[in-house]
Amino acid sequence: MSQNIDRRDVLKGAGAAGIAGLAGCVGGESGGSEYPALGNYPVEGDEVTLGFNVPQSGAYASEGNDELKAYDLAVEHLNNGGGWVDMWDDLSAGGILDKTVTSVEGDTATTPATAEESATQMIRNDGAIMITGGVSSSVAISQQKLCQQERVQFMSCLTHSNATQGADCVWYGQREMHNAFMTGKALAPILVDEFGEDLNFYSMYADYTWGTSNRNSMKRFLEEEGWTQTDEAPTPLGESDFSPYMQDVPREETDVLLLIHFGADAANSIPAAFDAGLDEDMEIVVPLYDTIAANSASEEIGGVYGTVDWNWQLDDEYSNAFTEAFREAEEKPPSYAARLAYSATMRYAAAVERAETFYPPEVIKQLEDHEYSNTGIGEAVSRACDHQSQRDVFVVQGREPSEQENGATSLGHLRNY
């Protein structure tokens, strides 16, 4: 029997962390009562096509495959009912605006150029009215800019860099996931409370926009709390052998090691840190966990702090409904990459229904400043100026192996900030 985490039992903090201060807020467009052709609007015929562009190869392929499963589930529910379609007032079975939902899928290969090429195919050849997907933030930013150019809605899936909805944000992009700024703001004071004041930390990070964004945010908030960074080490995306990097960590000077890696990188770097015995000399922190990497390193992560987008053991009606539907379809619980994919599709569909049109500017208006509490993460609002959802950040701690029995995941002890 799984161990459920009731939201009422979670420690409440300062609300959705880290929303203020991002650059890049932009204005919008307006549409009249008669809408001109724009992007892939109008949608002709009895079907509407959504484009699912995910990493089916590369460092983040496991997360991408989970996203695809959730996207397929969303299409099934939009057409035939089930899941959140039966729970949201804005949605009903039968498609979107009475058009049957179809989809096309692509492989971003975890590289921006490949992602852009695949999304272009979906937009220009397949007529996709909306593109969604991705794991890498650089991939998300690339697709978002393309969709702005093509006047096609982009619903970000798993992207955590500040730049996605910060300096690089565009009017046609939306993001529900919290960002690196929010991770730093939520996590830093907890680390100080748990480990002490005036400590030294060392940052090892993936050398691209997501890694540098997290390095910068963690450094900012930890230094504000009185800690000092001793040094930092960038690592290439897709690195398989982290042992040389672990040997370079100054043991005598380091109190806390930040492993800013994700997906397969994190699944390799976390065990490497423990294999090198670094846990004997310092605390280890993974600022952004993903379920797949955490489970891969489940023997090592007991007590290790980090943040997540969501956890399937959260006990609320929307989390439970999605988890039940996903488990029935896939015979396993969903990762938060899957929840983000499912939510992005449902939020877009609901906005179209509220707008009563697929015309992109009107759909965007329905997403802007929309308050919602029906995606499993509690109360949220999509900020109008940059389309970043203001929401809680879930701080987690790895479970000891003995606590990972009876259906419990390797992550637990959630706190809400």
Side-chain angles (χ1 to χ4, degrees), residues 57-335:
S57 59
Y60 298 153
S62 293
E63 290 80 6
N65 288 328
D66 244 26
E67 289 176 1
L68 272 186
K69 293 170 182 175
Y71 284 131
D72 290 342
L73 186 64
V75 170
E76 168 68 21
H77 288 171
L78 287 169
N79 288 331
N80 302 310
W84 294 350
V85 171
D86 296 344
M87 304 171 73
W88 290 17
D89 292 338
D90 298 329
L91 299 176
S92 59
I96 306 175
L97 292 184
D98 297 323
K99 292 183 182 290
T100 300
V101 180
T102 64
S103 64
V104 291
E105 63 183 55
D107 180 10
T108 69
T110 321
T111 62
T114 304
E116 188 171 334
E117 181 180 349
S118 178
T120 300
Q121 165 81 20
M122 293 175 176
I123 294 169
R124 297 182 182 177
N125 296 348
D126 301 313
I129 194 69
M130 183 269 279
I131 302 292
T132 179
V135 177
S136 160
S137 290
S138 59
V139 165
I141 291 168
S142 177
Q143 292 187 87
Q144 190 168 253
K145 289 180 177 179
L146 171 70
C147 287
Q148 175 78 12
Q149 172 186 318
E150 299 290 333
R151 299 298 187 260
V152 169
Q153 182 65 38
F154 180 68
M155 303 293 291
S156 290
C157 190
L158 204 168
T159 171
H160 188 238
S161 170
N162 294 333
T164 308
Q165 298 308 129
D168 292 322
C169 73
V170 298
W171 196 53
Y172 278 75
Q174 286 273 338
R175 172 169 63 181
E176 182 174 68
M177 187 177 182
H178 68 290
N179 57 37
F181 187 100
M182 297 160 72
T183 282
K185 188 170 184 179
L187 188 54
I190 292 177
L191 298 181
V192 174
D193 287 344
E194 292 295 325
F195 302 145
E197 299 179 351
D198 301 322
L199 299 185
N200 296 328
F201 66 97
Y202 183 97
S203 298
M204 191 178 299
Y205 64 96
D207 192 14
Y208 77 108
T209 182
W210 171 76
T212 55
S213 186
N214 277 264
R215 175 205 62 189
N216 294 343
S217 293
M218 290 302 300
K219 183 174 186 291
R220 169 180 173 173
F221 287 106
L222 286 173
E223 288 183 343
E224 287 183 3
E225 294 284 345
W227 285 18
T228 301
Q229 178 171 286
T230 58
D231 206 347
E232 59 185 36
T235 62
L237 181 62
E239 179 62 66
S240 59
D241 182 9
F242 285 90
S243 56
Y245 297 97
M246 300 305 166
Q247 297 301 320
D248 291 337
V249 178
R251 292 175 182 254
E252 295 183 359
E253 302 172 24
T254 304
D255 300 305
V256 177
L257 170 63
L258 303 183
L259 291 181
I260 305 174
H261 298 126
F262 196 78
D265 282 11
N268 288 323
S269 71
I270 297 170
F274 282 83
D275 289 345
L278 295 182
D279 59 306
E280 299 172 5
D281 299 314
M282 64 197 71
E283 302 291 346
I284 296 174
V285 174
V286 181
L288 183 68
Y289 271 120
D290 70 299
T291 305
I292 295 167
N295 289 342
S296 297
S298 60
E299 293 298 314
E300 291 92 3
I301 64 170
V304 175
Y305 279 96
T307 68
V308 295
D309 164 76
W310 171 83
N311 184 289
W312 68 268
Q313 292 179 110
L314 281 167
D315 189 14
D316 69 80
E317 60 179 326
Y318 301 103
S319 293
N320 292 340
F322 171 59
T323 297
E324 181 181 351
F326 191 92
R327 292 188 80 158
E328 182 177 349
E330 302 299 333
E331 299 184 346
K332 68 173 186 176
S335 64

